[in-house]
Every structure is written in C-alpha cells, then in structure tokens.
Amino acid sequence: MASATDSRYGQKESSDQNFDYMFKILIIGNSSVGKTSFLFRYADDSFTPAFVSTVGIDFKVKTIYRNDKRIKLQIWDTAGQERYRTITTAYYRGAMGFILMYDITNEESFNAVQDWSTQIKTYSWDNAQVLLVGNKCDMEDERVVSSERGRQLADHLGFEFFEASAKDNINVKQTFERLVDVICEKMSESLDTADPAVTGAKQGPQLTDQQAPPHQDCAC
Amino acid sequence: MAHEVNLHSLQESERETILQVLYRDREIQNVEEERIRKLKTHLQHLRWRGRKNVSQEYKEKSCARCQRALGFLLNRGAVCQGCSHRVCAECRVFLRSARAWKCTVCFEDRNVKIKTGEWFFEERAKKFPAGGKHETAGAKLLQSYQKLSKISVVPPTPPPLSESQCSGSPSRLQELGQFKGFNKSVENLFLSVTTHMKKLSKSQNDMSSDKQQPATGPRQSAGQTERRSQSDTAINVATRKVSTPDLLKPLAQESPKRTTSPVLKQEDRLSSPAPTPLFSGGWRHGSLISINSTCTEMGNFDNTHVTGEIEFAIRYCFRAHSLEICIQACKNLAYGEEKKKKCNPYVKTYLLPDRSSQGKRKTGVQKNTVEPTFQETLKYQVEPAQLGTRQLQVSVWHLGTLARRAFLGEVIVPLATWDFEDSATQSFRWYPLRAKEKCEDSVPPSNGELAVRAKLVLPTEPRKPPEAQGGTGDQPSQNGQLCLVVLGAKNLPVRPDGTLNSFVKGCLTLPDQQRLRLKSPVLKKQACPQWKHSFVFKGVTPSQLRQSSLELTVWDQATFGVSDRLLGGARLGSKDEPAAGADACPQSKLQWQKVLSSPNLWTDLTLTLH
C-alpha cells in the first residue's frame, strides 16, 4: 500500500482539532471480502481492483457533519487473516461500533459471520453497535448469498443490515452514517439514564439477551 | 486485555508496517488528549466558579452557579437533579428531548462526557472493570514492541517474557504496577504511600504534591459544606485513577534525591515498560491546569468588536506596599451577545507579565447592562521596586450562559512611567477600551528565557558485534546520553516581592511514550536564578531522540502547602504534538537539531518560556 501518502493524509487530518467528538469504528470480516476497499471508497472515494492483503491493522480518519455535530471518525481496517488475530482483537475494546463484512459471492465468508459476532461479544463492550454488510453487490452474476439470508442472519444477531459495493459506491456512505447514528443513540441512552439505580437495573437483562437487542428506530 | 500481543510470529517488514500505523495513531491520540484536556479544564473552571466558599454558609440562600441571592417567594430557585444544588431560573438548561433540566454545570458535564468520549469509557468499564479505563490497543502494542526490541538482542531462543522481566528489572514496585491483575489493595498501597510521601515532602517544601493537586485540590477545599453528586466528581476520579501508575514516578525519583545526588538514576526506569500514554502526562494534566488561569487565557472565548470606555483610578500605598485599582464604571460597552443584546460585564486585572491565577483580580458581574457601575477596589501586594517592571492589564469581559465569555476590551497601563507620588495621577480617569493585540493572540506571551547548554554524548569506541551484547545490563545500543546544563533563567514572572524559589524540571518523552524526568535543586530568593545544574538522560539513542520531545519547565516552589507555580516551559523535539506547535519556535528547533546532529559537542540554547 502507498504508505507514504497514507501517513501524510493521516497527519493532515490528525492535526485538525475542529470537531465535536471522535468515534472509533472497526471493520472486520474474512480476508478478501473488501474491507480495505470499502474504507478507501468512503475515506478517499477511490477504488482499485487489485487485492493487497492488509498487514495487521491500518486506519483512516474522516470528519463528517452529522446531526449538527462535527464527528471525527477513526476507522480501523483490520487484516482478515487468522495470523493477525491477536493484534486485531486487541482493537475491539476501543471500538464504539463495528462493520462486520462478508462477500456475497463467497459462502465461506458468510458462514464466518457468526464467529465474528462471537468475537465482538467477547472482546468488545456490551453495547457495541454492529452493522452487517454484504459487500460486492455489484457482482450479481456471482452471487451465492441471497439478500434474504443476509437479512435473516442480521435479524437473528440483532444487527442492522446493508448490501453494499465499494466498487460501484453503493451504500458505502449510508453504512457509515447509519452506524454513526446508532452510536449516537447509544450515547444519549447511556447519558440520560443518569440515575444509577436505573442503569444498574438495565444492566442485568442487557447482558443476557444476546439474541434480540432492542429495535433501533432513528431518533438521533 | 488478558493476553500479550505476540509479535514474534510476524516478519520484520510486517512489524515495521504496523509500527508506522501505531505512530500515526499515537499522533491522533496526542491531539485528542490535548483536546480533552482543554475541555476538562473548561469544566473544572466552571465548577470552581460555582463553588461555594467555605466561609459562605450553605443556608445563605443563593444560586449555586451564579451566586445570585434567591428570594423567599419569588425566584426561589430549584434543586438540580444532577448535583442537588439549588440554582436560579437562569442557570438551568432544558434538555431537548425531555421536560427535565440540568443546571449549567451538570449540563456542561454531560457535554464534556460526550465530547471526551468519557461516556464510552464508563460504559466499557462496566464490562472490563479491571482494565485501564483509557487504555488503548495502540499503546499496548507499542509496549510489546519495546519488549520485543529488548529480547531480540539475546541470541538463540528468547526466554519467556515474565522471566526476562524479573531478571532484567530491579524495580519491583513498577513491575507490580503494570502487572495484569493490578488489584485494589496494591493500588491503595500506592496511594497511601504517596500520601505519606506527600506529607513528608510538605515539611521539606518539596514538590511532589503537584501530581495530586488537580484531583484532590478542589475537592478538599470545597469542604464539608458542599454535597457533590456522582456526576459532579466522576471525571476527577477518572483522571486520578488513570494517573495512579504515574504516582510511582515521584516515588522512584524522590528517594535518591533525599540522599544527596542531584542527578537521578535512570537505568531502572528504562527497563520497565511505559505507562499508558493517555492521561499519564503528570505535569500537563496536573498543575498546568490548576495554576494557569481559566479558559479565557487559552483563547477559549468569543470575540466581539470593542467599543466604549472604562473608568478607574490607580493608587499605591507606599507604607502598606499595596497597589489599589479602583474600578468605577464602564460606558458604551459592546454587547457580549450581539444578537440577543445581552451583556453581563465584569472586570479582570493582571499585573503582567504574571498571568497566573494568583495574579488575577476580578470584580463582580453586573447583569444586563452596557453601562455597568462597579465601584470595586482590586488590590495587589507589590514591592515598590517591582512596580516598574509590571504592566497593569485591565480587561472587560462578558459572562454568558454556560459560562461562555466574550472579550469586551482592555487597557494596558505600563507602571514603569507611572508617578505614584503625584496625587493628580490618583484620580479617576476614563480610558478607551482596545482590542487585544494580534500578536498576543497568536503567540503565547513570553514568561522569560531559559539558558541551556546541551550535548549528545555517543560512545567513541567502535560498536561491538551484537552477539557480545547479551546478558549485561549495559546495552550498547542504548548507551548514548543526552547531557543538559541548565544555566539560568531571566525575566521570569516573579512574585510580588521580586523573588522566586525556582527550580527546573526536565522531561524527556521517548517515542514509546516513556518519560524520563529530572529535577534541579531549588534556588531560593532569586529573581534571575543561575542553577548551573546538569541533567543527564542516559541510555538514549540518536534515533530515539529524533522522535522524542524534551520539555523543560521552570517552577516556583510553593510556600504554604499550595501547589508549585508553573512559571513557564519550553519544548524541544522534532516530534511535536501538532496542537502544541506554538511551543517550538523555529529558532530553538534549529538549535535542537544542531544538538542532535553534532554529537559530543556543546550547543548553547536560549529558550523562550511560555
């Protein structure tokens, strides 16, 4: 990867303090499902068909304007390969939200979603917000995972669902913006149940109901 | 996290790639840390302003935020759900979604929690109560890198991590500190030891107390008269918790000092991994905040156009050494909030160059007027000889809702040319208000100059082959030294009596966020101290130094158990935090590069303190 340009980009963005708050987002999923492409499309609006495997971790920074607030996103791109797993899982704990990605032309990557979700439950905080994304939806001819199966799995896991294409720039921006909104909702929720008795009571059931988290209606 | 990240499985090139990402991330963290610090300072300031004085009885009915008297029938005030303080109608902020309201401070507290991400850390701590609250994966990885670089020196098979640590690190306390199951009792032990040390050092007029100042100070002085809610103190507690490992440092450094050697041993610290970088910067999160006055000094205020005049008189009583500024009135002020035509003016003075909070005097706030009458006298105790070196700064401010301030204008009177004996100069006069000078806004004011001599000492003998390096504690790859001689300082912001009990702290922050700290002895009763004290930072390589930053700060030692006063500081180093970029002027940058590029030669530097 062109690391020189990357770091310049990062520096320019990093010195900018003109934002209201910062969210950290992690993109996970099997190798070659298109995590890096997805991020590059979002942050740089660029796409290269060549496959370059991510080494360990990388990130990009993008500041967006959402709900009257400037939000700086630090979006972490993880290596899908198993051998980097100890490094990538270390980053789960700092992430407020996740994009869990599979490739609609790759059955195996879809089957692994359940395992990735378990990883999130293990290593991340309890209110971690997850969006399930089926990438490469431009390759309709090679599709092996139907939209319906993707949606069902997302419902089952309590995640929101998008099909997207980094190549054709479909649903990329929407995915990130939806994730930001959901994190915002969680944030208000956590702050406005200020009474410790209330939060304490809420804590119990939330820990157990992993199958059906509350439905999220946008009220942010 | 319960596991160490094992970097051995990675190839060298992969490690290098990841390291670059880690460095990039750390830069972002540094900026974020700086931003959070400002936010918290702002909140802290709000709290202090709203704090009831110990002398003030709680039953005296007044708004806890603006201190305005509350009535018995009208404007009785109501109790804020957040902090249980009674506040007047104007100090309430209604939340968007609900009918509920919070007082200005609780509302700001909520805002700060959002902006700093504290809400997330709190939520996360519910699931991982053991882990460091603000710990980041990047910081942990950098630690692993550090260990790796140490172990890879040992030839055939690297021993397990735990073993190598036990043999390599003589500092048991520190080992405990970074042990995974760093439990409550150990934490308490540290705290009690530190408190104990603090007591000891108080009696010696020592300076270790500033580490705890921000957390304990305001709460202690708030006294028993004030009830504080959870939300009111949450952030303080958090800051303190996280900085706990840092408390070890004063301990580790204090003991050798108590013997005789002023130059502290640093080898021990090198072998132990760095604490979590976020919030571990003791002095920056400590005294700088508590001492430096208010958010307004950090440029955190609204600018309005400046109109109007201020009337005041200046008198000096030679017998009592007392300078009195009688603030009479203002007229034709600009509105602090132009749109709403609102203006709540007050007047603030400093005797420049001293901008510390001790040198600040303020009048009360007049509500809703652009023609306020103050009739208040602000007093300073100043030696006659000192007067000539000072400038009186009289500034007018608007206090808005949520304690947002707007600058309404200022007058600067150089006292050097002031004839205090002429009674004509003692009468009231109108002075036109002026805008702040541009240069003052962009460049922080100078607090004097520090003369330093620096040299990078590198071994002259040829390097031994790496095979011969194992085993001994003296690692050839790290045996460079940075030698500094702190010569002296001048033009420091002195006390009213014209003297200082000053000392210098040096802090070298290595690329892995490890901090090496040294301190000079205290020179008493001198305005232009000449310490001629040498700092030696051992075991640093030139490549490390190029990515390190060196901070030199000059302090005035506290007298009555208050915290030491920061007089000014300067930072050197190529890896400047972007936010603090103003610290390093191009000239000192060049000088610093000269030090690094010409080893074994002395370079003289004159640093401007900010």
Side-chain angles (χ1 to χ4, degrees):
Chain A
M1 233 156 287
S3 64
T5 48
D6 285 355
S7 62
R8 218 181 310 132
Y9 178 74
Q11 263 164 18
K12 185 187 69 100
E13 279 276 355
S14 70
S15 58
D16 177 25
Q17 274 201 55
N18 191 20
F19 59 92
D20 293 300
Y21 39 88
M22 185 156 141
F23 284 167
K24 297 186 185 185
I25 291 170
L26 203 64
I27 310 179
I28 55 172
N30 271 16
S31 182
S32 83
V33 298
K35 298 180 290 296
T36 307
S37 297
F38 198 73
L39 177 56
F40 271 62
R41 169 62 76 191
Y42 182 60
D44 300 349
D45 200 17
S46 66
F47 182 80
T48 20
F51 173 63
V52 184
S53 181
T54 303
V55 175
I57 32 143
D58 197 2
F59 70 86
K60 281 195 172 286
V61 171
K62 188 176 169 83
T63 306
I64 62 166
Y65 193 75
R66 195 92 186 130
N67 309 317
D68 301 329
K69 291 282 185 292
R70 287 151 306 174
I71 305 173
K72 181 166 167 176
L73 303 178
Q74 189 183 21
I75 308 162
W76 287 91
D77 177 24
T78 60
Q81 290 175 33
E82 179 72 35
R83 56 191 295 258
Y84 297 111
R85 205 53 54 82
T86 52
I87 291 179
T88 53
T89 50
Y91 280 83
Y92 281 48
R93 205 200 270 202
M96 297 165 187
F98 291 80
I99 289 177
L100 202 177
M101 188 171 291
Y102 68 90
D103 173 0
I104 64 154
T105 68
N106 180 337
E107 180 77 31
E108 197 189 331
S109 74
F110 182 70
N111 293 337
V113 166
Q114 180 73 54
D115 291 341
W116 286 108
S117 145
T118 312
Q119 296 255 317
I120 297 175
K121 295 255 149 61
T122 313
Y123 294 109
S124 180
W125 64 308
D126 287 326
N127 281 319
Q129 297 305 302
V130 189
L131 259 59
L132 182 65
V133 173
N135 194 23
K136 307 193 188 176
C137 74
D138 55 290
M139 297 164 78
E140 199 55 54
D141 296 345
E142 294 168 52
R143 179 193 281 273
V144 291
V145 184
S146 70
S147 295
E148 196 41 46
R149 284 174 67 203
R151 188 170 306 281
Q152 274 175 5
L153 181 60
D155 283 349
H156 172 70
L157 294 168
F159 303 158
E160 292 196 28
F161 176 67
F162 283 92
E163 279 200 347
S165 162
K167 188 179 168 212
D168 287 1
N169 198 2
I170 300 168
N171 268 344
V172 177
K173 192 163 166 244
Q174 288 83 343
T175 304
F176 281 100
E177 288 180 348
R178 181 62 197 143
L179 185 55
V180 167
D181 288 350
V182 195
I183 297 172
C184 279
E185 285 166 25
K186 269 294 154 234
M187 179 169 76
S188 318
E189 214 172 275
S190 109
L191 284 165
D192 292 336
T193 48
D195 187 356
V198 177
T199 22
K202 256 185 93 175
Q203 189 60 11
Q206 274 192 343
L207 281 170
T208 47
D209 75 344
Q210 295 189 346
Q211 298 303 320
H215 211 78
Q216 287 130 2
D217 294 314
C218 182
C220 203
Chain B
M1 210 124 308
H3 59 272
E4 274 294 330
V5 179
N6 188 354
L7 298 162
H8 291 289
S9 56
L10 302 178
Q11 291 161 11
E12 188 61 42
S13 62
E14 293 177 326
R15 277 184 219 149
E16 191 54 40
T17 311
I18 294 172
L19 191 61
Q20 291 309 316
V21 176
L22 295 181
Y23 281 146
R24 251 192 323 135
D25 176 39
R26 209 191 50 212
E27 266 168 41
I28 292 200
Q29 294 306 329
N30 285 343
V31 176
E32 180 68 357
E33 197 181 326
E34 184 70 21
R35 190 181 67 95
I36 288 174
R37 188 179 66 86
K38 280 185 191 158
L39 287 167
K40 290 192 173 171
T41 310
H42 177 63
L43 179 63
Q44 193 68 274
H45 177 74
L46 264 185
R47 279 208 187 107
W48 288 350
R49 207 173 43 82
R51 189 181 68 204
K52 304 248 177 196
N53 293 326
V54 182
S55 57
Q56 207 175 340
E57 283 295 312
Y58 197 78
K59 59 193 164 201
E60 188 184 307
K61 270 196 130 190
S62 66
C63 169
R65 298 305 164 209
C66 66
Q67 317 288 353
R68 213 162 54 155
L70 295 172
F72 286 99
L73 287 170
L74 293 169
N75 192 21
R76 296 174 52 216
V79 174
C80 169
Q81 294 292 321
C83 60
S84 315
H85 283 313
R86 187 169 282 274
V87 297
C88 73
E90 283 182 33
C91 294
R92 296 173 207 167
V93 183
F94 284 83
L95 302 173
R96 208 188 295 172
S97 52
R99 284 168 296 125
W101 58 270
K102 291 184 170 185
C103 77
T104 45
V105 167
C106 287
F107 182 77
E108 193 58 23
D109 186 84
R110 180 184 188 273
N111 268 346
V112 168
K113 272 190 183 167
I114 291 176
K115 291 182 174 179
T116 57
E118 192 67 29
W119 67 272
F120 171 67
F121 299 125
E122 280 175 11
E123 285 286 319
R124 189 174 68 173
K126 288 178 189 165
K127 180 160 173 184
F128 306 102
K133 206 173 176 188
H134 298 93
E135 174 185 85
T136 63
K140 289 222 73 152
L141 267 174
L142 279 171
Q143 280 182 28
S144 306
Y145 266 89
Q146 203 195 354
K147 281 181 191 153
L148 186 79
S149 65
K150 203 154 288 165
I151 287 165
S152 60
V153 183
V154 185
T157 36
L161 281 173
S162 52
E163 258 184 59
S164 75
Q165 266 197 333
C166 286
S167 58
S169 154
S171 163
R172 272 206 73 73
L173 267 182
Q174 296 216 346
E175 238 178 78
L176 278 172
Q178 45 106 21
F179 181 61
K180 308 290 161 352
F182 180 54
N183 53 31
K184 266 279 175 296
S185 63
V186 180
E187 192 176 345
N188 289 340
L189 177 73
F190 286 145
L191 276 176
S192 70
V193 171
T194 322
T195 330
H196 192 63
M197 294 296 293
K198 204 173 141 194
K199 274 186 207 145
L200 270 178
S201 50
K202 276 279 166 55
S203 60
Q204 299 191 353
N205 254 342
D206 217 318
M207 43 75 55
S208 70
S209 56
D210 72 278
K211 291 280 196 293
Q212 287 194 325
Q213 184 62 24
T216 55
R219 276 190 290 167
Q220 274 170 356
S221 48
Q224 313 90 319
T225 48
E226 191 184 12
R227 287 170 297 155
R228 275 177 175 270
S229 73
Q230 277 223 314
S231 70
D232 225 355
T233 49
I235 289 183
N236 278 342
V237 172
T239 327
R240 181 188 185 155
K241 248 191 208 154
V242 178
S243 65
T244 307
D246 212 52
L247 296 178
L248 292 166
K249 294 197 167 168
L251 275 183
Q253 292 207 335
E254 229 55 67
S255 32
K257 187 184 171 271
R258 239 164 266 292
T259 57
T260 44
S261 155
V263 180
L264 307 173
K265 299 263 184 284
Q266 289 294 334
E267 295 93 320
D268 297 4
R269 300 266 262 12
L270 270 176
S271 55
S272 66
T276 53
L278 201 56
F279 297 112
S280 64
W283 69 267
R284 282 205 317 160
H285 291 278
S287 352
L288 198 75
I289 297 171
S290 57
I291 290 166
N292 258 11
S293 164
T294 79
C295 49
T296 52
E297 252 47 62
M298 299 167 155
N300 186 9
F301 54 81
D302 295 326
N303 265 310
T304 57
H305 69 287
V306 173
T307 61
E309 294 171 76
I310 179 167
E311 184 185 23
F312 60 85
I314 304 172
R315 295 189 189 114
Y316 185 72
C317 173
F318 282 90
R319 211 164 23 136
H321 291 176
S322 158
L323 178 73
E324 298 179 3
I325 302 113
C326 313
I327 310 286
Q328 183 68 24
C330 296
K331 63 183 178 194
N332 194 25
L333 288 176
Y335 285 103
E337 287 163 77
E338 183 60 44
K339 270 189 218 149
K340 297 185 193 162
K341 296 275 175 248
K342 265 183 96 172
C343 194
N344 306 324
Y346 69 97
V347 177
K348 182 165 85 169
T349 63
Y350 284 107
L351 282 184
L352 302 179
D354 181 6
R355 286 171 199 268
S356 69
S357 56
Q358 282 118 317
K360 178 172 65 181
R361 302 287 185 275
K362 284 198 282 194
T363 67
V365 179
Q366 303 293 314
K367 290 262 175 180
N368 281 325
T369 171
V370 289
E371 315 270 352
T373 307
F374 295 101
Q375 290 181 324
E376 281 190 63
T377 303
L378 308 174
K379 289 183 186 174
Y380 289 92
Q381 286 291 314
V382 195
E383 296 289 326
Q386 267 298 304
L387 277 177
T389 66
R390 301 302 184 101
Q391 289 190 317
L392 173 66
Q393 181 193 42
V394 181
S395 52
V396 187
W397 296 82
H398 156 74
L399 179 67
T401 45
L402 292 178
R404 188 73 192 166
R405 274 137 229 273
F407 175 73
L408 301 176
E410 68 173 7
V411 178
I412 292 186
V413 184
L415 298 178
T417 52
W418 199 264
D419 187 1
F420 290 101
E421 298 181 76
D422 182 359
S423 59
T425 59
Q426 297 184 4
S427 54
F428 284 100
R429 256 197 239 172
W430 285 99
Y431 298 80
L433 289 166
R434 293 176 195 285
K436 272 197 190 296
E437 282 169 38
K438 274 283 177 292
C439 64
E440 200 185 304
D441 276 351
S442 52
V443 181
S446 157
N447 280 330
E449 294 103 54
L450 180 67
V452 178
R453 184 169 287 176
K455 178 168 77 169
L456 175 63
V457 183
L458 293 177
T460 45
E461 77 268 6
R463 295 234 162 155
K464 293 177 223 164
E467 290 78 46
Q469 288 174 5
T472 57
D474 182 21
Q475 290 188 6
S477 61
Q478 297 207 320
N479 65 357
Q481 287 186 357
L482 176 66
C483 298
L484 281 182
V485 181
V486 179
L487 298 169
K490 56 185 179 183
N491 297 332
L492 294 169
V494 291
R495 294 183 191 173
D497 63 359
T499 66
L500 285 172
N501 295 342
S502 55
F503 63 93
V504 181
K505 284 196 214 177
C507 174
L508 184 68
T509 309
L510 297 175
D512 53 12
Q513 292 292 315
Q514 189 179 354
R515 289 183 165 88
L516 307 176
R517 290 163 211 248
L518 295 171
K519 196 174 85 182
S520 81
V522 179
L523 276 187
K524 295 213 168 169
K525 300 247 168 218
Q526 290 181 26
C528 297
Q530 298 292 320
W531 298 280
K532 295 189 179 133
H533 177 78
S534 66
F535 287 158
V536 181
F537 296 99
K538 289 185 186 171
V540 286
T541 61
S543 60
Q544 264 181 321
L545 279 177
R546 257 181 277 280
Q547 298 198 27
S548 304
S549 68
L550 175 68
E551 281 157 343
L552 292 171
T553 44
V554 185
W555 299 76
D556 182 23
Q557 192 187 45
T559 35
F560 308 109
V562 276
S563 65
D564 299 317
R565 183 164 66 109
L566 176 67
L567 301 171
R571 176 179 305 178
L572 291 166
S574 50
K575 274 270 166 179
D576 264 348
E577 289 171 37
D583 279 22
C585 67
Q587 191 200 352
S588 60
K589 221 173 202 170
L590 279 177
Q591 287 171 320
W592 178 243
Q593 276 162 7
K594 197 178 158 202
V595 174
L596 297 182
S597 56
S598 48
N600 301 325
L601 283 176
W602 286 108
T603 308
D604 282 313
L605 301 101
T606 305
L607 307 172
T608 309
L609 300 171
H610 295 302

